Each structure stands twice: as C-alpha cells, then as structure tokens.
Amino acid sequence: MLTKCSQSSTRLLRLESTIARLERRSAQLEKINRQYWRARRVLFVAGTLVTLIALEIAGLRIGVLAAALFVFLFTVVAAFHNKVRDGMTRNSLMLAIKQVQVARIDLDWEHLAPADHLPSNPDHPFETDIDLTGDRSLHRLLDTAATTEGSRRLRSWLMNNSPEAAIIAERQLLVRELERLCGFRDKLHLYATLVSSQVTAQQLGPERVYKKDRWDSHTLVSWVEHV
C-alpha cells in the first residue's frame, strides 16, 4: 500500500512538473504569436503604402513588383505564424490532457468527463452497491475511451457477472505493455482529439477535453473500409 501511495505521489509530482513546463511554453508561444500578428499588420500597411507610392512615382511595373514582393513576404510570415498557432493548439491540448490525469489522481470529479448516463440495471447484483456506474463511479474514473462503443464496452466488462480469468490476464498483459509508453499514450490522445473535432487554442482547456464528443466507431470503420 505504501509503495502504491509513493508511486502515486511520484507520478503526481511528475505531472505537476510537466504542467508547469507546458504553461511556460504556452506563455512563450503566446508572446511569439503576438509578435507575428504585429509583423503581419506592419507588412500589410507598409506593403500597401509602398505599392501606392511606387505606382505613383515609378509606374506600373515597379508598383507591381513592389506588390509582389510584399505579398511574398506576407505569405512567408503567415506560414510561420500558422505553425506557431498550430503549436499553441497542440500545447494547450497536451496541457489539458495532463490536467485530466491530475484530476483522476485527485478524484476531482468536477473536471472529469461527464458520466455516460445509461439507465442502471436494477437486477444487477452489484452495479449500484459498489458504484460501478454513475456520476462518482469506477467506470467514470477509468473511462478514457475515444468512442462511445469503447466506453460502453468498458462498462460491460466492469459489470460482467462471470468474468474469465484467462481473458482478464490477457487484458492486464496488454495494459502492462502500454503502461511504460506514457508518451505514446499522450500523443495518441492528442491526435485523437485533434481529428475528432475542429479545435483552436482559444477553445482548449480542461473543459474542452473532458467534454468533447466521442467518435462514432461505426462511422470510422466504414470510412477505413472505403479508403
């Protein structure tokens, strides 16, 4: 028990350190973002003025060349700016993912994904007795599924009245394989959230990650089969 508590404390410290690093990076990216916005405005105004002056003084050819030069410069700056904005979105999303993990350790129910409010089975021998489902349940605490079907499969596993030891051992083996791949799991979560909905850095935050819509796996499978 002491070992498990120590591991939880160590993991919490690592998460808090990662969150602090991501917050510092978020501040840096925001500063760079403001600089790029200023550069784009300056280029637009300067380009317009220089082009008009060139047209007035040097003629059409020089004016067109000046306009083309400023359009090229503006396009290059905009491309780099878009990369910065993409980095802001990814960084904000990863920050929110880490905050989710802290919320799970702290049992911070207000900042976890809403429970899947399927009707409980009154005939089930232990569903409600040991809080397998509901607002403050084991299912809600463990549920990190990206699809509705995955969430409900986890629920069915927890409510299985006659589990098979061999199947459980196989699942535990798979979990142990993934346990060491923290970076892989975080990136998988990151990419799943990015492609599941159109998000921006301004939309992101714990609430955006916790309450995002789940994928419909049937739609995903149909798309893969036709690719």
Side-chain angles (χ1 to χ4, degrees):
M1 181 64 71
L2 290 176
T3 301
K4 290 183 178 180
C5 291
S6 176
Q7 290 175 347
S8 296
S9 299
T10 302
R11 175 166 170 73
L12 185 58
L13 288 174
R14 287 201 302 266
L15 285 171
E16 290 174 345
S17 176
T18 301
I19 287 172
R21 176 175 57 81
L22 290 170
E23 287 176 339
R24 290 193 298 271
R25 176 170 170 77
S26 180
Q28 292 170 354
L29 288 172
E30 181 58 38
K31 181 178 179 181
I32 296 172
N33 178 57
R34 291 195 297 269
Q35 292 172 346
Y36 269 109
W37 276 121
R38 285 195 293 268
R40 291 175 70 168
R41 294 188 184 99
V42 168
L43 277 174
F44 179 79
V45 173
T48 301
L49 292 175
V50 170
T51 299
L52 292 174
I53 293 172
L55 286 171
E56 184 68 25
I57 297 176
L60 180 61
R61 176 178 293 183
I62 300 301
V64 170
L65 288 175
L69 175 61
F70 277 100
V71 167
F72 173 75
L73 291 175
F74 186 88
T75 302
V76 171
V77 171
F80 281 103
H81 188 196
N82 287 337
K83 290 183 179 180
V84 171
R85 294 173 67 188
D86 182 63
M88 291 176 63
T89 297
R90 291 171 181 266
N91 188 78
S92 297
L93 181 54
M94 185 58 71
L95 175 60
I97 288 172
K98 291 301 181 181
Q99 290 170 338
V100 170
Q101 295 172 2
V102 170
R104 292 186 188 282
I105 293 175
D106 291 339
L107 297 180
D108 186 358
W109 299 102
E110 292 184 1
H111 293 95
L112 293 179
D116 188 352
H117 290 292
L118 290 175
S120 60
N121 182 2
D123 297 326
H124 195 278
F126 53 80
E127 177 183 357
T128 56
D129 289 344
I130 58 176
D131 292 324
L132 283 184
T133 61
D135 289 331
R136 294 179 176 242
S137 64
L138 181 62
H139 177 254
R140 186 183 177 196
L141 186 64
L142 298 178
D143 187 12
T144 60
T147 65
T148 301
E149 291 78 11
S151 174
R152 292 178 181 175
R153 174 169 291 188
L154 174 62
R155 177 188 173 109
S156 70
W157 287 350
L158 294 173
M159 295 177 60
N160 189 355
N161 292 337
S162 53
E164 298 183 24
I167 294 177
I168 293 176
E170 182 180 1
R171 292 173 188 157
Q172 290 175 341
L173 180 62
L174 295 173
V175 170
R176 291 192 194 99
E177 289 292 327
L178 291 171
E179 183 180 8
R180 300 186 295 270
L181 305 177
C182 181
F184 170 78
R185 298 197 313 270
D186 287 343
K187 286 185 177 180
L188 186 63
H189 192 173
L190 171 68
Y191 294 140
T193 305
L194 283 171
V195 301
S196 65
S197 59
Q198 295 297 320
V199 294
T200 66
Q202 288 74 24
Q203 290 174 313
L204 287 172
E207 295 80 7
R208 183 69 185 88
V209 175
Y210 306 143
K211 299 179 181 179
K212 72 181 181 68
D213 295 334
R214 299 182 191 271
W215 291 359
D216 181 350
S217 62
H218 297 300
T219 302
L220 180 61
V221 170
S222 298
W223 175 80
V224 170
E225 289 176 346
H226 288 83
V227 170

